[in-house]
Amino acid sequence: MANFSKSNVPQFSVEVYQNEFLPEGGREVNGIITVTSTGGGTTGGVPLPGTPVRAAGAAVVIMVDCSGSMDYPPTKMRNARDATAAAVDTLRDGTSFAVVAGTHVAKEVYPGNGRLAVADARTRAEAKQALRRLSAGGGTAIGTWLRLADRLLGAADVDIRHGILLTDGRNEHESPEDLRAALDACAGRFTCDARGVGTDWEVKEVTAIASALLGTADIVADPAGLAADFTRMMENAMGKEVADVALRLWTPVGVEIQFVKQVAPTVADLTGRRTEAGPRAGDYPTGSWGDESRDYHVCVRVPEAGIGQEMLAARVSLILPDPSGGAPQTLSQGLVRAVWTDDMVASTSINPQVAHYTGQAELAQVIQQGLDARKSGDFDGATAKLGRAVQLASASGNEDTAKLLSKVVDVVDAATGTVRLKAKVAEADEMTLETRSTKTVRVKK
């Protein structure tokens, strides 16, 4: 485990949890990589000689759904205005920001003219004044909102670029291809948290936005909860100290990468998001970091070797790109190893971290499959998948997910995953389970 720090960057550490022992003929190597970032923005001091001084600061664009459905019930639009005002109040002085009203087109609400405002007492008051003029009317084309946010954020000379997006309906006024193209255009340029309010929006749309833009997704079933949620989201955004950190995976000749996934605090498959980074190395995006810890599951396939041989299966580094285009900075790194042994006990024991997160990834998958089966009328399939989900949630101590599952199924026996589908399920309960299905719990130490 190694640490490298720079004056205005948090300190990152990498720990690798694995069973490096393989039986004769064994080829699959798994490792859980725990990345922890601490001391962001508190280290002070002068940058090291030759290090580029990064433009400090953050820019945030809040995108508020103002389509016609936001008037049903009328309290929804009022709650959205109040929530946006609460988020504006949470902005740190000096943060650049803008508010966008989203319908079938995107309009700048504040400050306007393609600019960002700088947060202080005056601009916060002006922004809240401008929010009072927000009214509902028109359709929904989320891609246009994201493209406007990207234009506004792209003009800011800052490290952290973040969006907050609120919608209450389906994206009916542009094609799925248009939204996908907007997400592809914005990916890597800013991060974005997405929220669905009420129950008339599409879970897979909102989670796809958050996933593409490395943010969080959640449901706010009761619009009265929006202000508290927006405040939390903005506090989290204000806590970010460093952007564009990548997980770089280097593998020796003959090693194949099976997958790279974030497994805590949520499950997110990063395998397909690799960008090549020189011979046998690839970068996987992780977004912005504050003081926090996340876990990643790396699985590789190594060439066969004889008993007693050992090899480096992969080297995992955290990389911070140089804004001026020079060599990136290595923040920390860890090694994944493979050792072949004829000791059966050593080679067959599963590392507890690997076992736990393999179960959490399966939990997210069977919830999705179970809910999809239930929607399509395959009640036997739904019962089997959601039963397995109850069993996994119970075994891993994921109490939040177990609670959400109990609103969709009657649990007969959690340990064996014996359940009955509930005849009547509130739409909000089903959507909450689907939206939060990827949330994981960490291994009990």
Side-chain angles (χ1 to χ4, degrees), residues 390 402 405-406 409-415 418-420 422:
V390 165
L405 280 160
S406 69
V409 294
D410 290 317
V411 179
V412 180
D413 182 0
T418 310
V419 301
R420 279 190 300 269
K422 285 186 186 289

Side-chain angles (χ1 to χ4, degrees), residues 83-281:
T84 308
V88 166
D89 275 337
T90 312
L91 286 162
R92 250 202 324 255
D93 275 1
T95 303
S96 302
F97 77 103
V99 180
V100 166
T103 58
H104 51 285
V105 290
K107 287 200 182 97
E108 293 172 50
V109 175
Y110 183 81
N113 300 327
R115 295 172 306 117
L116 294 167
V118 176
D120 60 23
R122 179 182 61 81
T123 55
R124 279 194 286 264
E126 287 174 0
K128 288 189 286 187
Q129 191 67 36
L131 287 171
R132 294 189 186 139
R133 299 195 293 274
L134 284 186
S135 59
T140 308
I142 293 173
T144 66
W145 315 356
L146 293 165
R147 286 183 189 274
L148 176 55
D150 183 37
R151 279 200 301 279
L152 292 166
L153 291 166
D157 182 21
V158 293
D159 271 1
I160 308 288
R161 294 182 180 86
H162 190 70
I164 287 177
L165 184 148
L166 173 73
T167 182
D168 84 320
R170 292 173 177 79
N171 198 39
E172 286 167 343
H173 293 81
E174 67 182 351
S175 68
E177 293 72 30
D178 286 343
L179 177 57
R180 187 72 254 165
L183 288 171
D184 289 344
C186 297
R189 291 175 54 81
F190 67 96
T191 53
C192 185
D193 293 324
R195 294 294 183 267
V197 61
T199 55
D200 294 328
W201 49 282
E202 189 62 56
V203 172
K204 286 179 173 59
E205 255 167 26
V206 169
T207 52
I209 292 164
S211 167
L213 302 181
L214 301 173
T216 62
D218 207 354
I219 179 173
V220 185
D222 180 355
L226 276 174
D229 187 72
F230 266 46
T231 303
R232 266 196 309 274
M233 265 194 291
M234 191 60 90
E235 281 169 350
N236 190 38
M238 292 295 95
K240 300 297 185 190
E241 296 285 349
V242 57
D244 303 327
V245 177
L247 203 61
R248 177 167 292 180
L249 200 60
W250 177 89
T251 47
V253 175
V255 173
E256 299 160 37
I257 293 164
Q258 303 298 97
F259 61 78
V260 178
K261 289 177 187 170
Q262 178 184 288
V263 287
T266 54
V267 176
D269 196 340
L270 302 176
T271 316
R273 304 185 69 165
R274 176 186 173 103
T275 50
E276 294 307 315
R280 299 196 305 282

Side-chain angles (χ1 to χ4, degrees), residues 69 271 343 364:
S69 54
T271 316
D343 177 343

Side-chain angles (χ1 to χ4, degrees), residues 6-28:
K6 193 171 75 178
S7 68
N8 55 347
V9 170
Q11 291 208 338
F12 282 80
S13 67
V14 168
E15 294 169 278
V16 177
Y17 298 93
Q18 67 161 141
N19 175 13
E20 64 259 42
F21 295 108
L22 295 175
E24 192 170 8
R27 295 188 59 193
E28 188 174 283

